[in-house]
Amino acid sequence: MAQLDNRLTPGLDPNTPRAKQNREALQALLNELRATEATIRQGGGAKGIDAQHKKGRLTARERLALLLDPGTELLELGLWAAHGMYSEYGGAPAAGVVTGLGRVCGRLCMIVANDATVKAGAFFPMTAKKVIRAQNIALTNRIPTLYLVDSAGVFLPLQEDVFPDADDFGRIFRNNAVMSAMGIPQITAIMGMCVAGGAYLPVMTDTVLMTEGSGLFLAGPSLVQAAIGQKTDPEELGGAKMHAEISGTVDFKEPNDEACLARLRALVDKMGARPAEAFSRSPFEPALDAPLAPAEDLYTLMNPTPGATNLYDMREVIARIVDRSEFDEYKAEFGRTVLCGYARIGGRAVGIVANQKLNQSQTVASGPQAGMLRTEVGGVIYTEGAQKAARFIMDCNQNLVPLIFLHDVNGFMVGKDAEWSGIIRAGAKMVSAVSTSVVPKITVIVGGSFGAGHYAMCGKAYDPSFIFAWPTARYAVMSGAAAAGTLAEVRAKQMEAGGKSISEAERKAVYEEIKATYDAQADPRYGAARLWVDGIIDPARTREVLITALEACSLRSDVPKFNPGILQT
């Protein structure tokens, strides 16, 4: 029998002058990001950490260090949440809560830990959204969830943006109930304050642990006195001893954080085994199944400067994230600006949909140029590519193959030739296939993610299980240069219509002002602050992150029936 050779041959030369320049620029950007992340991880800073220690309590990250298995790390989600926001209140680093996937007694868990060094762990609007995002990931993928509670409740100055809406504070408790009904294990450890509406969270989970010196009450002593005139001691009102002995609300009373976390690990260790996986998985050996080329070569791939022209073969990325660099490319000669194919990552089967950034030659099938050979612009989705991707996505759903989307997309092709070829109809097929997909979908924004191309490639609105971004990502309706060119021209015409002339220098100044604003808003840090992406990841860690994310997705064994609905033909 003939031997199949489906290995991608890496052709990236990391030693060319351009590659070296790209590496230097990206390393500088990564260093800047890491420095900011280190500051974010300090939470409320030295003063807040010292205040927590004086109460005899650990910080959120110190608790996580004891909870997680030795030698493992948290795949943190939403680290950049609220970055640059709430400055009038002193900021809210990481939105005052740590969320992510971590391994506890060998089991992958979703962890939500309030950071009491940030405004006593109070819930800002982005705090609620971050916790809900973590719960939604856990809910979709049936991930056991652990809550480390230490929170003063809603941040009152912003209560109108935290309290009432469908994706605000109350949704957290609704999710607790829904997750419990679905059989997803939830355990809460109260290691500080748990006040007001937040008091419902632990009691709506399966098991409640509480440390001595903590408080669990719907209203604290001051509010009780104001409301009903009753004076009471915090411990008597809602301390661990009272809840363990009198109300019966607490299942385990522990003397301190360390003992509480040890008990929590013991309980996780005794959880039952999950059902068999619905998705294909083969035996995996990290050394033998590693890609053929080093992941660090990805640093040389792109110039991270906003607006820089980056032409590269997306297969170079795929070759560095899939097992043994093996990739079974689907319809390789058709719709070439979209790459589709099958591979394994960490032993788990995946279907990959990616934007090809190299310009491609394609014979035109229909329209004014039918039969002619045209050059297709890399990063643009043409009719043939959209048709191919739609069919491939449906095949993956039919065969229960999780999907990975790698973005560097300018959008769909426009113009007479594109319209004649049915680009709207083909794009609708692709968007519909993504929308109705039932298998896990993981999105990585490598470069640009613009316009309707973002939607077709499974943007945030299309329920990806996870969505990550490289530091080189750009995330907007269109690029800063394109937006600035359009809006500057509109503004110039408005001024001229008002009887004002505009000089070339003024026109350029308007252009640069608009472009700077657009570039700032397209930066992945801006998107991550608003939870449009779950995390900004080091390109060299993409494979590692995907392996963990795919493991999390594999916990869902019940996949709904795929029903693609009506497709334009």
Side-chain angles (χ1 to χ4, degrees):
M1 183 179 293
Q3 183 75 28
L4 173 66
D5 187 1
N6 55 357
R7 292 172 297 178
L8 294 172
T9 303
L12 191 62
D13 184 355
N15 297 312
T16 65
R18 180 170 180 174
K20 290 178 179 178
Q21 289 173 1
N22 289 349
R23 181 189 293 274
E24 281 184 22
L26 185 53
Q27 287 285 8
L29 179 55
L30 279 169
N31 290 339
E32 180 184 338
L33 292 172
R34 287 165 181 159
T36 304
E37 289 176 346
T39 301
I40 293 171
R41 289 190 174 98
Q42 289 297 307
K47 186 177 179 181
I49 293 171
D50 186 55
Q52 186 77 346
H53 288 166
K54 284 181 178 177
K55 295 174 185 174
R57 298 173 187 161
L58 301 174
T59 67
R61 295 184 186 278
E62 289 169 342
R63 288 166 177 164
L64 288 171
L66 293 177
L67 177 63
L68 298 177
D69 291 350
T72 67
E73 294 183 2
L74 183 76
L75 175 55
E76 189 161 355
L77 305 173
L79 172 63
W80 288 82
H83 178 65
M85 301 170 69
Y86 312 125
S87 56
E88 65 272 36
Y89 302 106
V97 64
V98 183
T99 63
L101 294 169
R103 205 169 295 282
V104 179
C105 296
R107 182 185 285 268
L108 196 64
C109 298
M110 178 62 76
I111 301 170
V112 178
N114 297 118
D115 185 351
T117 71
V118 179
K119 299 293 188 294
F123 273 68
F124 286 75
M126 290 306 301
T127 315
K129 287 176 171 52
K130 182 172 173 177
V131 173
I132 291 166
R133 173 60 179 161
Q135 287 184 318
N136 285 341
I137 291 172
L139 195 154
T140 301
N141 299 297
R142 314 297 194 267
I143 307 171
T145 303
L146 312 177
Y147 303 91
L148 309 185
V149 175
D150 193 349
S151 171
V154 169
F155 185 66
L156 293 178
L158 294 174
Q159 66 85 25
E160 65 176 297
D161 296 319
V162 182
F163 173 70
D165 212 344
D167 60 348
D168 287 343
F169 196 49
R171 189 74 172 187
I172 295 171
F173 317 131
R174 176 266 185 194
N175 286 347
N176 288 140
V178 172
M179 291 167 71
S180 181
M182 294 173 65
I184 302 170
Q186 298 175 90
I187 305 177
T188 299
I190 303 170
M191 293 182 282
M193 290 298 103
C194 188
V195 184
Y200 285 113
L201 185 150
V203 186
M204 296 190 73
T205 62
D206 304 336
T207 308
V208 183
L209 295 75
M210 188 172 181
T211 59
E212 295 175 6
S214 295
L216 171 64
F217 24 66
L218 288 179
S222 299
L223 185 55
V224 168
Q225 185 173 354
I228 64 173
Q230 184 182 76
K231 291 185 177 180
T232 182
D233 174 80
E235 180 62 34
E236 182 184 16
L237 179 65
K241 181 177 174 65
M242 188 284 290
H243 281 303
E245 297 181 8
I246 300 174
S247 77
T249 302
V250 169
D251 301 311
F252 296 90
K253 176 172 72 72
E254 305 298 341
N256 51 45
D257 285 10
E258 291 85 352
C260 187
L261 293 165
R263 178 81 69 182
L264 180 53
R265 284 183 55 84
L267 294 173
V268 173
D269 185 49
K270 295 172 182 64
M271 286 181 181
R274 56 185 166 83
E277 292 183 25
F279 311 109
S280 172
R281 183 186 182 191
S282 64
F284 172 67
E285 296 185 34
L288 293 177
D289 296 323
L292 299 179
E296 289 73 19
D297 286 352
L298 295 175
Y299 294 148
T300 70
L301 200 67
M302 301 169 69
N303 179 351
T305 306
T309 300
N310 287 300
L311 300 179
Y312 61 91
D313 190 344
M314 184 62 87
R315 294 183 186 88
E316 297 288 355
V317 178
I318 297 170
R320 287 164 175 79
I321 64 174
V322 302
D323 295 355
R324 300 176 299 279
S325 298
E326 293 176 355
F327 182 60
D328 297 297
E329 189 167 350
Y330 177 87
K331 295 184 186 290
E333 305 303 318
F334 181 73
R336 296 176 185 177
T337 62
V338 179
L339 299 175
C340 299
Y342 299 99
R344 289 189 183 272
I345 298 177
R348 301 181 192 277
V350 297
I352 295 175
V353 180
N355 304 114
Q356 173 59 282
K357 286 296 290 183
L358 293 180
N359 296 339
Q360 301 292 311
S361 292
Q362 183 79 46
T363 300
V364 181
S366 60
Q369 296 184 353
M372 297 176 62
L373 195 66
R374 72 173 174 220
T375 298
E376 295 187 340
V377 179
V380 175
I381 302 176
Y382 290 77
T383 298
E384 294 85 355
Q387 291 172 336
K388 175 173 79 171
R391 171 61 189 272
F392 178 74
I393 291 165
M394 290 191 286
D395 283 356
C396 287
N397 277 272
Q398 184 77 2
N399 296 310
L400 294 180
V401 181
L403 286 157
I404 308 289
F405 293 85
L406 302 177
H407 289 218
D408 198 343
V409 58
N410 299 335
F412 286 91
M413 190 57 189
V414 296
K416 185 171 72 172
D417 293 336
E419 298 293 356
W420 283 33
S421 70
I423 186 65
I424 297 175
R425 190 171 70 249
K429 288 180 187 177
M430 186 175 177
V431 171
S432 180
V434 171
S435 302
T436 57
S437 286
V438 294
V439 296
K441 298 171 292 194
I442 302 174
T443 295
V444 182
I445 303 176
V446 171
S449 188
F450 299 120
H454 171 76
Y455 301 153
M457 292 293 293
C458 194
K460 184 67 183 289
Y462 293 80
D463 297 325
S465 300
F466 297 91
I467 179 167
F468 301 106
W470 283 10
T472 47
R474 291 291 176 269
Y475 192 166
V477 171
M478 62 182 74
S479 70
T486 302
L487 294 176
E489 187 63 28
V490 170
R491 191 178 299 183
K493 287 181 178 179
Q494 288 173 338
M495 293 174 69
E496 289 167 354
K500 297 179 182 179
S501 62
I502 180 170
S503 68
E504 192 58 38
E506 289 173 323
R507 189 186 293 266
K508 184 176 181 182
V510 169
Y511 172 89
E512 293 297 340
E513 177 190 348
I514 296 172
K515 183 177 182 298
T517 300
Y518 242 79
D519 285 342
Q521 293 178 351
D523 189 287
R525 286 166 283 196
Y526 188 92
R530 288 151 183 80
L531 295 176
W532 298 343
V533 297
D534 294 314
I536 303 172
I537 61 174
D538 183 334
R541 291 193 63 227
T542 304
R543 174 175 165 83
E544 177 186 337
V545 169
L546 289 176
I547 287 174
T548 302
L550 284 165
E551 180 183 353
C553 292
S554 75
L555 298 179
R556 52 182 287 202
S557 57
D558 53 332
V559 183
K561 182 180 183 298
F562 177 51
N563 182 8
I566 295 174
L567 292 176
Q568 289 285 344
T569 57

